[in-house]
Amino acid sequence: MTDPAAATTASPEGLCAFVDASPSPFHVVETTAARLRTAGYSELAEGDRWPAAGKHYVVRGGSIVAFDASVFAVDGAFRIVGGHTDSPNLRVKQHPDLEAAGLSLVGLEPYGGAWLNSWLDRDLGISGRLAFAGPDGARTALVRIDEPVLRVPQLAIHLSENRKGVELDPQRHVNAIRGVGAKGPFVDLLAEAAGVDPETVLGWELMTHDLAPSRVVGADGDLLSAPRLDNQGTCYAGVEALVAAPSTVGVTPVLALFDHEEVGSGSDRGAASDLLLTVLERIVLAAGGDREDFLRVMSRSVCASGDMAHATHPNYPDRHEPAHRIAVNGGPVLKVNQNLRYASDATGEAIFAVAAEQAGVPLQRYVHRADLPCGSTIGPITAARTGLSTVDVGAPQLAMHSARELMGSADVAMYSAALAAFLAPA
């Protein structure tokens, strides 16, 4: 067996740097694209004609699809690693300026399945993008404020009923304090950060992020604490896998990272959109193939839907399927659900099991308790949208959907190594 740490350049420190550079889906795309450019990839615009081969990527908002078509062949296949760039958080409302009890507030709205209690009493920054009027029409600019401009305070225990805590109302209890007394419009602060005139701002997609840096933790450095591990753990492992995957004649490796998974993927750039399908077909067409060739290639192709997996929680072992314990630092996880919340079938399981063996990493298998509702991924959506054989995989973690999550530091390299072996089968 090979050393998984040598298979890619993925490392715990690298994942920490990736997460800290990527507070929003738009910043995930920017960070991923920068890594791809250092590896010789170039950006393609959807409105241009595409070259016949080469290493390229396509950006659509908070989504990015990258591929190495240097060895594409019409009698070959695509190997696709999918993931998502978004994470549950608190997002800025369209009319954010509020006042109460002599304090200036910013109206926030939960996005996805945010674990609301975990967002209380944290120093919060702001990130995302602004749309504004430019000299040649509407334009967008990234925004990032890494200063503690917002905070959502917890209610004092003395004011709760029976001192048992409070149930948070997402409408009333997650607005953030900005400061004491009346403040100017919140948009002024955003515009200044983006370097644009506040009068030109037309709209935004903005979210809060925890300002505490990602860290390798634990007495022996065997754990990693960070925000947004779901699913930036896959974004980082996936891009490092793509860059490291050796060329295999006839196998075209693809990395597809979608926005909006946490809210159902139903957008112009989500997994339910045409983004992946059009990119794959255009690879075939640019190489001189036709629609028939595209359909033939697709029939031989496979997708690994990468999303983080639930490790067995030591304080709540009863919440897990007893015959399917998942260990931190135990290697990547293959996820199966009989009701298709995960897309894995026997064929996909076998393909990824071979990849894990090729990478020299152990493979764990996850099944959700039958009496608890199971979350889902882009896997079933991608499988239904494309007709691709799809397998759901991930790396084990604790505190999923919390403002800050926990995983094993050794799992970073093992996960990336397995994805690299999947992209370039021996």
Side-chain angles (χ1 to χ4, degrees):
M1 285 190 173
T2 59
D3 177 9
T8 76
T9 58
S11 68
E13 296 78 12
L15 175 55
C16 287
F18 184 98
V19 172
D20 289 347
S22 310
S24 78
F26 310 105
H27 290 87
V28 173
V29 168
E30 182 181 54
T31 305
T32 301
R35 178 69 180 99
L36 290 169
R37 288 193 295 272
T38 65
Y41 286 72
S42 60
E43 184 173 3
L44 297 177
E46 291 190 79
D48 294 341
R49 286 192 172 275
W50 288 10
K55 299 180 177 181
H56 305 288
Y57 65 89
V58 180
V59 172
R60 188 186 287 181
S63 300
I64 183 169
V65 180
F67 56 90
D68 180 0
S70 57
V71 291
F72 173 78
V74 293
D75 59 350
F78 295 115
R79 281 292 181 105
I80 303 158
V81 167
H84 65 90
T85 61
D86 60 323
S87 301
N89 54 25
L90 303 178
R91 300 203 168 189
V92 180
K93 291 183 175 179
Q94 292 297 296
H95 294 291
D97 297 304
L98 305 172
E99 290 185 18
L103 298 170
S104 177
L105 307 176
V106 172
L108 300 177
E109 178 180 0
Y111 171 86
W115 201 225
L116 295 183
N117 280 283
S118 70
W119 284 89
L120 304 181
D121 300 327
R122 292 182 181 271
D123 293 332
L124 301 178
I126 295 289
S127 60
R129 68 175 179 176
L130 285 179
F132 64 97
D136 53 353
R139 303 182 64 186
T140 60
L142 289 183
V143 177
R144 179 170 184 171
I145 302 175
D146 281 330
E147 296 294 332
V149 295
L150 299 178
R151 192 175 180 93
V152 184
Q154 174 66 278
L155 182 70
I157 189 172
H158 317 79
L159 303 177
S160 66
E161 294 183 11
N162 301 317
R163 297 197 176 192
K164 293 183 178 180
V166 295
E167 181 176 348
L168 297 179
D169 182 329
Q171 171 64 22
R172 298 185 296 130
H173 297 153
V174 296
N175 295 319
I177 294 178
R178 181 182 170 198
V180 178
K183 303 290 183 184
F186 190 56
V187 68
D188 290 356
L189 181 67
L190 306 173
E192 180 182 1
V196 303
D197 184 343
E199 297 298 324
T200 68
V201 174
L202 303 173
W204 57 64
E205 294 165 271
L206 296 167
M207 57 213 70
T208 59
H209 62 273
D210 178 22
L211 291 175
S214 304
R215 295 285 300 275
V216 175
V217 299
D220 299 314
D222 50 7
L223 297 169
L224 191 154
S225 168
R228 303 180 297 279
L229 289 176
D230 175 20
N231 189 28
Q232 290 188 28
T234 294
C235 297
Y236 172 73
V239 70
E240 293 300 326
L242 179 65
V243 168
S247 296
T248 302
V249 175
V251 177
T252 300
V254 179
L255 176 68
L257 304 178
F258 300 100
D259 200 353
H260 296 147
E261 187 273 346
E262 298 291 358
V263 291
S265 298
S267 70
D268 66 310
R269 56 184 185 264
S273 73
D274 69 343
L275 177 57
L276 178 59
L277 274 173
T278 55
V279 169
L280 298 179
E281 183 169 10
R282 292 186 70 172
I283 293 171
V284 177
L285 296 176
D290 56 20
R291 177 73 176 176
E292 177 73 11
D293 293 320
F294 167 66
L295 295 175
R296 290 173 56 238
V297 172
M298 291 292 283
S299 73
R300 296 185 288 265
S301 300
V302 187
C303 175
S305 162
D307 209 341
M308 301 297 278
H310 297 292
T312 300
H313 198 299
N315 295 337
Y316 302 90
D318 57 306
R319 301 300 177 92
H320 300 268
E321 163 58 46
H324 294 80
R325 299 304 195 194
I326 302 298
V328 169
N329 285 331
V333 180
L334 193 156
K335 300 186 283 187
V336 177
N337 182 264
Q338 301 303 327
N339 295 297
L340 295 184
R341 299 296 287 170
Y342 305 132
S344 306
D345 61 10
T347 301
E349 291 178 50
I351 291 172
F352 196 80
V354 169
E357 183 177 5
Q358 178 185 330
V361 301
L363 181 64
Q364 306 186 83
R365 295 175 185 255
Y366 178 82
V367 172
H368 205 68
R369 280 190 66 102
D371 55 355
L372 293 175
C374 182
S376 192
T377 69
I378 67 162
I381 295 170
T382 301
R385 186 78 177 86
T386 65
L388 291 172
S389 177
T390 303
V391 56
D392 267 294
V393 299
Q397 72 161 93
L398 297 169
M400 187 177 292
H401 285 204
S402 175
R404 197 166 186 90
E405 301 166 323
L406 188 70
M407 70 177 294
S409 56
D411 280 319
V412 178
M414 288 192 286
Y415 187 28
S416 188
L419 295 179
F422 173 83
L423 288 172

